[in-house]
Amino acid sequence: MNSPTQVSPAGTPGSAPGYDLDRYHYVPRRYYGRICASIAIVIVLAVLVNAFAHGNIEWSFVGQFFTAKAILDGVINTLIMSVLAMALGILFGVAAAIMYMSPNPVLHYIAVGYAWIFRGTPLILQLLLWFNLALVFPVIAVPGLFEVQTVQIMTPFLAALLGLSINQGAYTSEVVRAGLLSVDTGQYEAAKAIGMPRLQALQRIILPQAMRVILPPVGNEFISMIKTTSLASMIQYSELLYNTQNIYFANARVMELLFVAGIWYLIVVTVLSFGQSQLERYFSRGQRRRQ
């Protein structure tokens, strides 16, 4: 038990008339396990800090390359890719969620297959498939309109955008579907009773109410997307990690440049986390008023 231990010289406290509290004293329970664990953690942290502070790391290079043009370009490219991929991923996810809930069996099973394929295979594999699409489709053409070599248009940027957004859409579809299911069925019935089409009801009635449930996980997915873009370095997209690698391949300052990339990721994620909290507060304002 977590309550203090009461020590009594005779009998049960309060069992006899004239019970005197002054005759007893309370001994607080000692949590020796917590104390030992805390000491061990502090020691490990101190050893790690000392190792990095006095190890073979030139911290001056961290400050020198922190605002290097290649690093800043990588940060900008990372943000651009994250925003575009997440925007497309949300569009794909909403469409797939609506198709999944459709009474049309063809649309339903297409949405099921979409989520199954892109959630069931590694993202890095999907990026490599998009980047090497020319091996399967050498030419992309619409008869009578245009014909273009696939290798000319499937740049690292486009391959990364397609791979990240389509993969993200598969996960977002489940989040959106959960949000739509969280809305009371009476809302659907009321919209149907006044003759509102299904898509219009989703746009004007259902989705605004579902946003309170959808927004937190989608916000987390966007923050995760910032870090996931680092996988695009495998297909030579010049995001933050790729540019960082190019620099340390030249000057051999591997740890210093990795620290630069890590600090930039932390800065971006911290700013976005604050923005996410503000959006969540905005969409939950009605819920706070009801409470």
Side-chain angles (χ1 to χ4, degrees), residues 229-287:
T229 54
S230 62
L231 293 177
S233 63
M234 294 292 295
I235 57 173
Q236 303 173 21
Y237 176 65
S238 60
E239 46 76 53
L240 177 56
L241 183 60
Y242 181 78
N243 288 3
T244 299
Q245 290 174 324
N246 286 340
I247 296 175
Y248 71 60
F249 286 152
N251 63 14
R253 294 294 180 179
V254 178
M255 292 299 296
E256 291 83 352
L257 269 299
L258 290 178
F259 273 113
V260 170
I263 294 171
W264 269 115
Y265 280 121
L266 286 173
I267 291 173
V268 174
V269 167
T270 301
V271 172
L272 291 177
S273 298
F274 176 76
Q276 178 191 357
S277 66
Q278 297 303 308
L279 280 175
E280 290 179 11
R281 184 177 304 175
Y282 173 79
F283 280 101
S284 63
R285 63 193 188 282
Q287 182 70 15

Side-chain angles (χ1 to χ4, degrees), residues 18-282:
Y19 170 68
D20 187 4
L21 282 176
D22 294 336
R23 299 171 58 194
Y24 302 89
H25 67 279
Y26 293 87
V27 179
R29 184 175 180 178
R30 273 32 175 214
Y31 296 95
Y32 296 106
R34 297 180 186 178
I35 295 173
C36 293
S38 300
I39 294 174
I41 292 173
V42 170
I43 292 174
V44 171
L45 290 176
V47 170
L48 290 175
V49 170
N50 180 71
F52 281 107
H54 300 92
N56 188 22
I57 299 176
E58 293 290 342
W59 291 102
S60 60
F61 279 89
V62 176
Q64 177 182 344
F65 286 97
F66 188 74
T67 56
K69 185 179 184 302
I71 297 296
L72 295 180
D73 289 343
V75 173
I76 293 173
N77 289 340
T78 295
L79 290 172
I80 291 173
M81 179 58 66
S82 299
V83 171
L84 293 178
M86 197 66 203
L88 289 176
I90 291 173
L91 291 178
F92 293 147
V94 171
I98 294 174
M99 291 169 62
Y100 189 99
M101 300 176 67
S102 172
N104 187 321
V106 176
L107 296 179
H108 171 77
Y109 285 109
I110 288 176
V112 171
Y114 166 64
W116 174 64
I117 291 174
F118 289 99
R119 292 172 62 196
T121 55
L123 176 56
I124 187 64
L125 172 63
Q126 297 171 34
L127 291 171
L128 291 171
L129 287 173
W130 284 111
F131 188 59
N132 294 283
L133 190 65
L135 299 176
V136 181
F137 301 101
V139 177
I140 297 177
V142 176
L145 292 179
F146 69 88
E147 179 177 320
V148 63
Q149 297 291 323
T150 304
V151 71
Q152 295 178 354
I153 63 172
M154 194 54 65
T155 61
F157 174 83
L158 183 59
L161 181 60
L162 290 174
L164 292 171
S165 62
I166 294 176
N167 177 268
Q168 181 59 49
Y171 288 93
T172 304
S173 66
E174 293 300 303
V175 175
V176 174
R177 187 166 66 90
L180 295 177
L181 292 174
S182 70
V183 179
D184 189 84
T185 55
Q187 302 293 319
Y188 293 88
E189 295 170 358
K192 185 177 180 180
I194 62 176
M196 186 175 289
R198 178 180 175 84
L199 290 178
Q200 187 179 19
L202 285 170
Q203 178 185 358
R204 296 190 176 183
I205 297 177
I206 308 303
L207 275 176
Q209 297 182 63
M211 285 299 293
R212 183 172 55 86
V213 176
I214 294 173
L215 190 61
V218 168
N220 289 332
E221 291 290 340
F222 180 50
I223 292 173
S224 179
M225 178 66 75
I226 296 291
K227 297 167 288 183
T228 305
T229 54
S230 62
L231 293 177
S233 63
M234 294 292 295
I235 57 173
Q236 303 173 21
Y237 176 65
S238 60
E239 46 76 53
L240 177 56
L241 183 60
Y242 181 78
N243 288 3
T244 299
Q245 290 174 324
N246 286 340
I247 296 175
Y248 71 60
F249 286 152
N251 63 14
R253 294 294 180 179
V254 178
M255 292 299 296
E256 291 83 352
L257 269 299
L258 290 178
F259 273 113
V260 170
I263 294 171
W264 269 115
Y265 280 121
L266 286 173
I267 291 173
V268 174
V269 167
T270 301
V271 172
L272 291 177
S273 298
F274 176 76
Q276 178 191 357
S277 66
Q278 297 303 308
L279 280 175
E280 290 179 11
R281 184 177 304 175
Y282 173 79

